[in-house]
Amino acid sequence: MYQYTQDDQTLIDERVAQFRGQTERFLKGELDADQFRALRLMNGLYIQTHAPMLRVAGPYGLLSSRQLRKLAEIARNYDKGYCHFTTRQNIQYNWPKLEEVPDILAELAEVQMHAIQTSGNCMRNTTTDPLSGVCKDEIEDPRPYCEIIRQWTTLHPEFAFLPRKFKIAVSGALHDRAATQFHDIGLHLVKNDAGEVGFKVFVGGGLGRTPVIGQVIRPFLEKKHLLSYLEAIVRIYNLFGRRDNKYKARIKILVKEEGLDKVAELVEQEWQSNKDSLELSNERIESIKAQFAPPDHETSADLDGSFHKRLQENPAFATWVQQNTVDHRVPGYRAAFISLKAPDAPPGDITDTQLDLVADLADRFSFGEVRSTHRQNLVLTDVKQTDLFTLWQELGAAKLATPNIGTATDIICCPGLDFCSLANAGSIGITREINQALDDLDYLHDLGDIKINISGCMNGCAHQSVGHIGILGVDKKGEEWYQITLGGSSENEAAIGDRLGPAVAKDQITRAIQDILDVYIKQRQEDESFLNTVKRVGITPFKEQVYANH
Amino acid sequence: MQIIKDKKITEDHWQFVADDQDIPQAGDITVSMSRWLNDKDALVRRGGRTGIRIRSTDQLEGIAGDLAGMPLVELDIAMFGDGRSFSQAWLLRNRYHYRGEIRAVGNYLIDQIFYLHRTGVDAFQLDESRKPEAALAALNDFSVAYQPSVN
Ligand code: HEM
Ligand code: SF4
């Protein structure tokens, strides 16, 4: 993975010093609440219902074991012994003390981490496919470009006060595992007719109150123009994005109101006048790429027979392998997901001891690295098949081996009413209920690939609008109700879910989800997935079932 | 009045003349972009020098032809969260090749001085919240940068 140079380190150290000064000025009353707000947000610090919340950047989801141990230490010493992985591959602490945040940032800086631009109206952490570099459907590893973008966006002097937040995601594979079409800018590495690899550029995607699918602004961008083109888009956005209404300030609204053609034309003009000054040299691309060279895989890892024997002898192990691991580019290796969706734990949460364990397992079995995923799990990307059994046992002992990756209990869920002042309804409790209702593993696995996303209000932190099943908390005369949508997807065939009908009461929501799953089982043809079934039969059969019973 | 200019604390005498005030015959002044565009001829005939104060909503194209030899452009930051001024500074330097003074005025934080300077602003109005020494120090908040800008 990318190792900091002296300059990288200096920059984050200086940032810590700057933030320490800002915090002191605020505590002395020299900065008012609004002024400090803008500055602390740029350092990932929110003030929530119960306490401040600190969001730490996980650059494109890649973390070393040393960094994990530091995250564990911070959870232990400054928080309540746990932290939370977000849908944008970042890490959140829910109970830090404001006065201690500068110290936390200083500790993070010791392991090349920071909270820069994890919040605020600026360019945020760039996210990517957690299987980058190991998946079989990859055109090119996106991580070097993510790192190039990370550097370019970090403390960009011109774009620190944009109309609104700005998120970039990059995918290098055929299958989009990074929700790129729901980002302000989505980049797909693609090959053109001449066989050259470049970027297909999407613009104007986003979730939240107004979910919008990104549109292609440029079908093929040469790699050397990556930064100049990004700069052109962001400059046009900075100058012309709306600032009169924060709900209309994202670039998706600019694209919607002005039209893609108009925005593309402005970007093109801007780009033409600046494209040569920011050209990426081949040497620079190659030198960053070298930092993401594949680890030393053994060439005969697939010859080992013990793995197959274990699979036959131990059905529970076989189930886990089937559900929580995926094929690897190198024969004899697999990528093993670590489920942060145990039935009784809030999705995405991880304790300090679990973090320490994952760090050890990463060192022993996966070249000392771990990735966080868009669906709030972790993955060890380079595990030899011989090691999977021990890995499974040790993960299992720590409740990290629930075999539910990609299933209906691999739920994305926001903090909801339990922790969030903006919430209309609880979401963690609903997740727990759904887990209890779906505790039969055979049934769960038979249901197959189903993505349920639950947000406690229309801000949509858990991306309910792109869940195969989306659940949105609404407030009805002070009571918690839930709006259901079906058929959303954040993958290649991006789609926003359709509303099933009127919202459902809290004591009915889990029953409604079970009804929906029953209809799917009845309607599906052979191996048809949930999403394809919904596409084929439409929402009517689901609607009839859900509202017939209530 | 003191300002920061070229990384030094400097005495300054420029006056901004609001649209409803009379133009003085002498002295160095800045006026709004609309006044400049309306009264350009009269303004250049007067005794003192004249610069333009630009709001973040003003379009720079309108004054592109007037920038050569312009002594001062002020970027009026109405609200510190309004980042358009940063792009305006960059455009003035890179697109319009403006070489005169760019001064940041209005409601901004010392914490933004480093960024403003990088995008091409070389002078900073001071006030209660932007004391001279703190503002000077802010120019050096960071010693490294990842991306090119103006400075
Ligand atoms: C109590 C804590 C939280 C509060 C008050 C909060 C608040 C908000 C608000 C107001 C928005 C809307 C912003 C907009 O539309 O531009 C938002 C968006 C978002 N939140 Fe949260 N949030 C919280 C926790 C979380 C957590 C834990 C996650 C991670 C799972 C998360 C992930 C997101 C994401 C990904 C978006 C962006 C959706 C988009 O692309 O527009 N939030 N949040
Ligand atoms: S979706 Fe709403 S309730 Fe859930 S975390 Fe976001 S703002 Fe809070």
Side-chain angles (χ1 to χ4, degrees), chain A residues 377-489:
Chain A
N377 294 301
L378 300 176
V379 57
L380 296 171
T381 49
D382 297 88
V383 185
K384 259 190 304 186
Q385 61 182 39
T386 350
D387 294 332
L388 284 170
F389 188 76
T390 318
L391 176 66
W392 169 69
Q393 286 183 312
E394 298 201 22
L395 285 174
K399 292 196 174 179
L400 292 169
T402 313
N404 63 349
I405 296 294
T407 71
T409 60
D410 186 1
I411 295 172
I412 300 184
C413 163
C414 80
L417 213 49
D418 298 81
F419 299 105
C420 177
S421 52
L422 305 174
N424 292 324
S427 43
I428 296 173
I430 304 301
T431 301
R432 199 171 295 135
E433 258 184 49
I434 294 175
N435 262 286
Q436 281 156 4
L438 299 179
D439 63 349
D440 177 348
L441 271 184
D442 291 334
Y443 178 64
L444 187 69
H445 293 151
D446 180 48
L447 289 169
D449 177 18
I450 297 185
K451 298 188 166 69
I452 302 182
N453 296 354
I454 310 178
S455 296
C457 80
M458 69 195 298
N459 285 313
C461 297
H463 307 187
Q464 81 289 346
S465 49
V466 294
H468 298 175
I469 301 176
I471 303 176
L472 166 64
V474 291
D475 173 280
K476 268 202 189 177
K477 302 198 182 96
E479 283 177 30
E480 301 167 61
W481 286 64
Y482 297 88
Q483 175 87 82
I484 301 172
T485 49
L486 292 186
S489 168

Side-chain angles (χ1 to χ4, degrees), chain A residues 185-363:
Chain A
I185 293 180
L187 297 167
H188 284 191
L189 280 153
V190 291
K191 213 174 245 175
N192 67 7
D193 294 340
E196 294 155 341
V197 175
F199 298 97
K200 183 175 181 178
V201 186
F202 294 79
V203 73
L207 294 166
R209 290 170 182 243
T210 323
V212 181
I213 300 174
Q215 302 182 65
V216 179
I217 185 168
R218 193 168 194 88
F220 190 84
L221 176 71
E222 286 176 79
K223 288 175 182 175
K224 65 178 178 188
H225 294 314
L226 175 63
L227 295 183
S228 59
Y229 198 71
L230 294 181
E231 180 173 282
I233 295 177
V234 184
R235 181 167 301 122
I236 292 302
Y237 171 56
N238 190 34
L239 288 167
F240 300 107
R242 284 180 61 171
R243 290 172 187 265
D244 58 325
N245 176 341
K246 76 171 191 169
Y247 298 117
K248 298 203 183 299
R250 296 281 294 270
I251 194 172
K252 62 190 174 191
I253 305 294
L254 182 68
V255 173
K256 216 168 161 182
E257 291 181 350
E258 300 295 325
L260 178 67
D261 291 345
K262 176 78 195 300
V263 172
E265 189 189 311
L266 287 170
V267 168
E268 185 68 22
Q269 274 174 14
E270 183 57 43
W271 184 50
Q272 289 303 338
S273 53
N274 196 40
K275 79 192 223 200
D276 299 328
S277 67
L278 248 186
E279 202 169 290
L280 269 176
S281 72
N282 222 14
E283 294 89 84
R284 172 139 160 77
I285 295 177
E286 290 305 321
S287 78
I288 301 280
K289 268 191 186 175
Q291 303 230 29
F292 295 91
D296 288 330
H297 295 110
E298 284 174 22
T299 48
S300 53
D302 59 328
L303 298 182
D304 154 79
S306 66
F307 174 57
H308 298 284
K309 192 156 160 282
R310 296 276 196 200
L311 284 176
Q312 273 158 13
E313 285 168 4
N314 192 324
F317 173 58
T319 301
W320 177 79
V321 169
Q322 165 75 28
Q323 205 59 50
N324 285 18
T325 74
V326 295
D327 278 349
H328 195 286
R329 203 168 49 71
V330 179
Y333 281 83
R334 297 188 73 75
F337 285 83
I338 298 174
S339 172
L340 302 184
K341 310 292 175 69
D344 49 354
D349 278 9
I350 187 165
T351 66
D352 60 329
T353 37
Q354 287 174 324
L355 280 166
D356 279 332
L357 173 76
V358 173
D360 289 346
L361 295 172
D363 281 340

Side-chain angles (χ1 to χ4, degrees), chain A residues 7-8 10-11 14-15 18 22 25 38 150-152 154-158 160-161 235 238 243 270 273, chain B residues 80-84 86-87 90-91 95 109-112 115 118-119 141-144 146-149:
Chain A
D7 280 357
D8 295 297
T10 302
L11 185 139
E14 290 175 348
R15 179 63 158 199
Q18 185 194 40
Q22 290 165 345
R25 278 157 62 211
R150 181 193 75 81
Q151 297 187 12
W152 175 74
T154 301
L155 305 193
H156 197 298
E158 192 183 336
F161 298 89
R235 181 167 301 122
N238 190 34
R243 290 172 187 265
E270 183 57 43
S273 53
Chain B
F80 64 83
D82 185 346
R84 283 175 284 202
F86 297 77
S87 281
W90 187 92
L91 286 168
R95 188 74 24 91
L109 308 175
I110 49 171
D111 310 82
Q112 294 175 302
Y115 287 158
R118 285 211 63 210
T119 55
D141 273 352
F142 294 92
S143 61
V144 286
Y146 278 126
Q147 59 295 93
S149 190

